Amino acid sequence: MKRLLLILLLAAQAFSAAAAEPPSTAPFFALTLPALDGPSVALESFRGKPLLVNFWARWCGPCRKEIPDLAALQAKYRGRGLRVVGIAVEDADKREQLREFGRAYEMNYTSLIGGSEESIELMKALGNGHAGLPFTIVIDRAGRIRSSELGAMDQAEMEDAVRPIL
């Protein structure tokens, strides 16, 4: 009986440790997405770089509020290798409206179009089971998710999230 309890305890600990593991970034790096302004981008090209990836939409008020802070973060840490990547949870047929939006909000970072359904599936695969917006993940140089946040972040929170991966 003690042996069975020990086996169950070890199995529960292993299950708990596995559940705490962050999701794989493989679905992210496997994609090629159209850019708001320019050719499509293979996300594999970002492998080995520290990344802050932000899922957003034009109709999302908290997303709009984050954009100036994302732009400031990109400007401040680009020299240290950080790449901010915005993925619009909208369809490619909205490219012109998204392009105008990007210019109006002075998005100085890589801005891609994820597609509505595709972005939702990607967010779920990356740990956002509710597919809420905004959603931000921080990926280190080894390609591991170091943190994620569902909901708006301010500049200080963004800096705290990226500092460990620079």
Side-chain angles (χ1 to χ4, degrees), residues 82-111:
L82 180 69
R83 295 300 302 266
V84 174
V85 178
I87 299 178
V89 182
E90 299 196 43
D91 293 320
D93 65 349
K94 304 283 188 222
R95 188 176 195 162
E96 189 54 40
Q97 294 96 320
L98 288 163
R99 184 178 293 138
E100 290 172 14
F101 181 89
R103 277 190 226 121
Y105 276 79
E106 299 178 1
M107 297 169 84
N108 64 346
Y109 49 90
T110 302
S111 300

Side-chain angles (χ1 to χ4, degrees), residues 35-74:
L36 262 62
D37 199 11
S40 293
V41 176
L43 299 184
E44 178 67 29
S45 68
F46 295 120
R47 191 177 291 279
K49 297 176 173 76
L51 302 171
L52 182 143
V53 180
N54 177 263
F55 291 85
W56 63 279
R58 290 174 298 151
W59 47 263
C60 169
C63 300
R64 289 175 180 235
K65 188 175 186 312
E66 283 184 321
I67 292 171
D69 290 336
L70 290 164
L73 193 75
Q74 179 64 86

Side-chain angles (χ1 to χ4, degrees), residues 100-142:
E100 290 172 14
F101 181 89
R103 277 190 226 121
Y105 276 79
E106 299 178 1
M107 297 169 84
N108 64 346
Y109 49 90
T110 302
S111 300
L112 307 171
I113 305 169
S116 297
E117 291 179 29
E118 299 88 345
S119 294
I120 289 170
E121 290 308 312
L122 180 58
M123 285 192 295
K124 287 180 179 180
L126 296 172
N128 180 358
H130 299 291
L133 290 175
F135 177 60
T136 303
I137 60 171
V138 174
I139 301 173
D140 66 17
R141 293 176 196 269

